[in-house]
DNA sequence: CTTTTTTGTTGCCTCGGATTAACAAAAAGC
DNA sequence: GCTTTTTGTTAATCCGAGGCAACAAAAAAG
């Protein structure tokens, strides 16, 4: 299997053979997590960073009254906690939403490699930056979009992201998450997610049967969700 | 005036004299923006990054129907668009909320310096990371907190951040923003912000007269806003 | 296979927050 | 100084989304 991080980075920037080799060496140490288990817990001081190779993971924050909010959904190719290299405490859980295969890399190894290959270090920094850009898009959607538009935006974003790592085809992709998870991503109640989903299906722009999302009207959905992909930085750029 | 970025970084990590000198050289090119003017516009391809030296700035996103959402409030010491070093398009405006003095640094200069001083590069990466952590905290507040708690959280966050750069004292600080700005940060209507603010004042935990916020009951406010400062990474850590 | 648990769906009712409007207070402009 | 614009405040009304409950469907466990 091709390393999805390599796919991800090579779509965005020039990656040299040496850098690819270094990345693959860094991500040899695989580990599996069953759906529902926590890879990292709030308060941890992780000594290594986690790259998702397969499956879906979520950054989950729990409030005192038990409410849960998911601040990011991670797909193959994502470093879910690269910030742990620099921040020393996890401020949230990372949970496997489906069965996950990940690669663990010890922080000292990442430091050593990025010092030897500074451009690779900048690429990892880039991935932090894209993370922040996605967060901003979520903030805007949470604060000022209708639930219907928000959901449209989310489905657009997931399509583009999954497409980059080769997990989408023909405007369709697998998204095996529950409406409970979706509610905690959109900041809505489960019941309302269900109703909003039906409204969205009723527009005919999207079908979502079982785990499969199919976008029937990309331009319509894009407009409804006011989705601009610029923040995902899809364009290749010179180093 | 001490460079607030130096203050900011030195509170979080060891910064050598050489690094401080390099930072100060990078931030010599000052520029002023009047309140209400845009420093950067959505769609721009900036060639330099902006460090706030004095004043408050906001990252503002505008929706098609004219709605505005602010995804971050920037204070002295913040690099408001460091991501522009890596992403090539701005996905939002940066607007001066008050009169601002900023320092502009050309991207090539930042690259040159961080290649010479890799640890300084990591510190700038750290500031991206903290940015992302603040975004996550905002996402949680937007999605799952009551307006009252959200506002408490916001005021706690601002206190800690301003304190780090020496702009708070005795649980008080200047926050010369309008309720309109606040509404666009909390994702509420102006009217509701006003009511929530009155509710908050009624608890006696906070007074906000003119531009001055005074936290009368830090622990109470902290609890109400479920504010944990871990994500701001206040602890120094070894390189 | 049956049982149990989780997830999805619908209806009813409530309530928080939006909307609109009107006015007061403050700030900015002249 | 006065006027105009912006910001803050309060009230009345409305509606979207939440809460709760009941049940169906699907998945997991036995």
């Amino acid at each position: 299997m091709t390393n999805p991080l390599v796919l991800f980075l090579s779509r965005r920037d020039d990656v040299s053979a040496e850098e690819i080799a270094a990345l693959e060496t860094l991500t040899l140490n695989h580990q599996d997590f069953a759906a529902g288990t926590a890879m990292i817990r709030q308060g941890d001081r992780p000594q290594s960073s986690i790259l998702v190779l397969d499956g879906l993971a979520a950054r989950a924050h729990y409030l005192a009254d038990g409410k849960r909010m998911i601040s990011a959904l991670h797909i193959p190719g994502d470093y879910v906690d690269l910030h742990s290299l620099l921040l020393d405490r996890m401020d949230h859980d990372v949970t496997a939403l489906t069965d996950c295969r990940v690669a663990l890399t010890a922080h000292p190894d990442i430091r050593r490699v990025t010092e030897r290959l500074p451009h690779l270090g900048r690429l990892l920094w880039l991935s932090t930056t894209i993370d922040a850009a996605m967060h901003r898009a979520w903030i805007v959607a949470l604060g000022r979009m209708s639930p219907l538009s928000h959901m449209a935006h989310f489905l657009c974003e997931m399509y583009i992201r999954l497409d980059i790592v080769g997990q989408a085809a023909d405007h369709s992709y697998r998204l095996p998450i529950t409406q409970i998870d979706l509610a905690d991503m959109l900041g809505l109640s489960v019941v309302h997610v269900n109703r909003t989903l039906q409204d969205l299906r009723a527009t005919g722009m999207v079908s979502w049967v079982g785990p499969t999302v199919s976008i029937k009207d990309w331009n319509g959905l894009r407009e409804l969700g006011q989705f601009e992909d610029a923040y995902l930085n899809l364009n290749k750029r010179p180093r």
Side-chain angles (χ1 to χ4, degrees), chain A residues 64-79:
Chain A
D65 56 4
K67 289 201 189 81
R68 180 178 74 150
M69 183 72 194
I70 292 176
S71 64
L73 180 59
H74 284 292
I75 66 173
D78 287 358
Y79 253 114

Side-chain angles (χ1 to χ4, degrees), chain A residues 155 169 171-175 206-215 221:
Chain A
L155 293 178
H171 288 103
S172 286
Y173 54 93
R174 275 174 50 85
L175 195 65
V206 176
S207 90
W208 188 343
V209 283
T212 306
V213 175
S214 298
I215 301 174
L221 196 69

Side-chain angles (χ1 to χ4, degrees), chain A residues 25-85:
Chain A
T25 309
L26 280 177
T27 53
L28 287 175
N29 180 22
H30 293 187
Q31 190 169 332
D32 291 313
F33 289 94
T37 57
M39 302 176 181
I40 307 177
R41 281 184 199 287
Q42 212 159 322
D44 279 2
R45 260 182 216 272
Q47 306 299 312
S48 52
S49 278
I50 294 180
L51 169 70
V52 178
L53 296 174
D54 198 41
L56 295 174
R59 299 187 176 180
H61 308 243
Y62 294 91
L63 297 188
D65 56 4
K67 289 201 189 81
R68 180 178 74 150
M69 183 72 194
I70 292 176
S71 64
L73 180 59
H74 284 292
I75 66 173
D78 287 358
Y79 253 114
V80 299
D81 65 340
L82 208 49
H83 53 282
S84 69
L85 187 63

Side-chain angles (χ1 to χ4, degrees), chain A residues 7-200:
Chain A
L7 267 176
F8 177 83
L9 292 176
S10 61
R11 277 289 296 269
R12 290 190 162 68
D13 204 321
D14 299 319
V15 186
S16 71
E18 187 183 13
E19 286 160 356
I20 291 178
L23 266 177
E24 284 179 339
T25 309
L26 280 177
T27 53
L28 287 175
N29 180 22
H30 293 187
Q31 190 169 332
D32 291 313
F33 289 94
T37 57
M39 302 176 181
I40 307 177
R41 281 184 199 287
Q42 212 159 322
D44 279 2
R45 260 182 216 272
Q47 306 299 312
S48 52
S49 278
I50 294 180
L51 169 70
V52 178
L53 296 174
D54 198 41
L56 295 174
R59 299 187 176 180
H61 308 243
Y62 294 91
L63 297 188
D65 56 4
K67 289 201 189 81
R68 180 178 74 150
M69 183 72 194
I70 292 176
S71 64
L73 180 59
H74 284 292
I75 66 173
D78 287 358
Y79 253 114
V80 299
D81 65 340
L82 208 49
H83 53 282
S84 69
L85 187 63
L86 298 152
L87 296 179
D88 56 0
R89 286 234 182 245
M90 291 300 291
D91 59 326
H92 55 266
D93 286 15
V94 174
T95 308
L97 293 185
T98 67
D99 290 345
C100 280
R101 165 154 292 180
V102 305
L104 295 177
T105 311
H107 287 164
D109 293 343
I110 297 181
R111 286 201 187 163
R112 196 168 341 100
V113 169
T114 53
E115 267 164 31
R116 183 164 62 83
L117 301 168
H119 177 251
L120 185 58
R122 277 229 305 285
L123 287 182
L124 294 183
W125 185 3
L126 172 64
S127 105
T128 306
T129 320
I130 292 175
D131 238 50
M134 288 193 289
H135 284 151
R136 283 192 294 273
W138 281 36
I139 286 173
V140 174
L142 280 163
R144 288 288 182 241
M145 280 190 185
S146 69
L148 192 67
S149 292
H150 191 172
M151 196 172 284
H153 187 279
F154 171 74
L155 293 178
C156 287
E157 183 185 283
M158 289 314 296
Y159 169 64
I160 296 289
R161 291 175 64 199
L162 287 167
D163 190 44
I164 291 171
V165 291
Q167 305 219 356
D170 206 23
H171 288 103
S172 286
Y173 54 93
R174 275 174 50 85
L175 195 65
I177 60 173
T178 67
Q179 293 185 5
I180 299 169
D181 297 329
L182 195 51
D184 289 339
M185 284 187 266
L186 304 183
L188 301 170
S189 72
V190 193
V191 175
H192 203 66
V193 160
N194 185 285
R195 283 193 273 250
T196 305
L197 213 43
Q198 291 177 50
D199 291 347
L200 190 58

